[in-house]
Amino acid sequence: MSKTSLEDIVNRILSSRSDLNRKEILEIIEQKKRGAGDFLTDETAARIAASELGVEVAKKPLRLKIQIQDLISGLNDVTVAGRVVAVYPPKTFTRRDWTEGKLASLVVSDESGTLRVVLWDDKVELVEGGKIQREQTVRISHGYVREGLDGKPELHLGQRGNIKVLKDSKK
């Protein structure tokens, strides 16, 4: 826990609650920690104290960057970003229920590795329409990870999935 985070929260409480001094605020924070069996960090205890004192403290945005090397089969709702290094033509197939399906695949890379991305059904239109091309930087959201035929993780993009082109180096 960084001192500045705790200090920021204490200063925020001080500026909003003129009836309290620094020592009193720090004691309230310590009481919160003791009450939780010292399982809370100083910052978390300070956030709870601020909330109970009616002082709003901005939440820190949670940004986790998942790299390709971190992907394992079974993950759901995955977002990764990378450069498109290959785009393979769409294929059609017949499902067990005799309906027709479509799939296309890409290879995307980041600084940690490469990954096959499989696009299903309506997502194939991104490849057919030329919206996804080599050398573009893309963010792939809401995918799910499955083990490919080669035993490596693949990112699949179904109905919930989305691809956004972040940067197009071809232009």
Side-chain angles (χ1 to χ4, degrees):
M1 189 244 2
S2 64
K3 286 279 186 210
T4 55
S5 297
L6 175 62
E7 280 304 309
D8 291 343
I9 296 168
V10 170
N11 289 336
R12 185 73 167 245
I13 296 170
L14 281 170
S15 66
S16 298
R17 295 287 303 261
S18 57
D19 59 319
L20 297 171
N21 64 40
R22 179 182 234 29
K23 185 177 178 186
E24 291 169 320
I25 294 169
L26 292 173
E27 181 52 37
I28 292 169
I29 293 168
E30 281 303 312
Q31 287 173 358
K32 295 291 167 206
K33 283 180 63 178
R34 281 193 303 273
D38 285 327
F39 286 109
L40 300 178
T41 64
D42 289 344
E43 181 182 355
T44 302
R47 286 180 182 278
I48 292 169
S51 176
E52 290 178 359
L53 292 169
V55 177
E56 190 173 318
V57 177
K59 290 185 177 134
K60 290 190 292 187
L62 181 61
R63 298 293 266 156
L64 296 176
K65 183 170 189 244
I66 296 178
Q67 293 188 310
I68 289 172
Q69 71 180 3
D70 300 328
L71 298 179
I72 57 170
S73 182
L75 292 177
N76 290 311
D77 202 13
V78 172
T79 298
V80 295
R83 178 178 298 275
V84 178
V85 293
V87 179
Y88 295 98
K91 297 177 183 178
T92 57
F93 63 94
T94 303
R95 292 187 174 92
R96 290 181 189 156
D97 65 0
W98 301 104
T99 60
E100 187 176 277
K102 286 200 245 182
L103 73 91
S105 62
L106 325 164
V107 176
V108 175
S109 71
D110 67 9
E111 59 273 0
S112 73
T114 60
L115 174 72
R116 179 173 184 237
V117 178
V118 181
L119 309 177
W120 293 98
D121 297 321
D122 61 332
K123 301 301 179 209
V124 174
E125 294 170 14
L126 296 167
V127 171
E128 289 175 329
K131 292 185 172 98
I132 302 296
Q133 298 179 12
R134 283 189 47 188
E135 301 301 315
Q136 291 176 322
T137 301
V138 295
R139 180 175 44 245
I140 303 163
S141 306
H142 307 296
Y144 54 96
V145 182
R146 297 291 177 259
E147 185 175 314
L149 295 175
D150 60 0
K152 295 178 183 171
E154 297 178 337
L155 186 61
H156 290 247
L157 214 55
Q159 225 172 358
R160 284 189 60 225
N162 187 26
I163 295 182
K164 180 178 181 183
V165 176
L166 301 176
K167 190 167 55 176
D168 189 346
S169 300
K170 288 189 85 161
K171 294 182 180 176

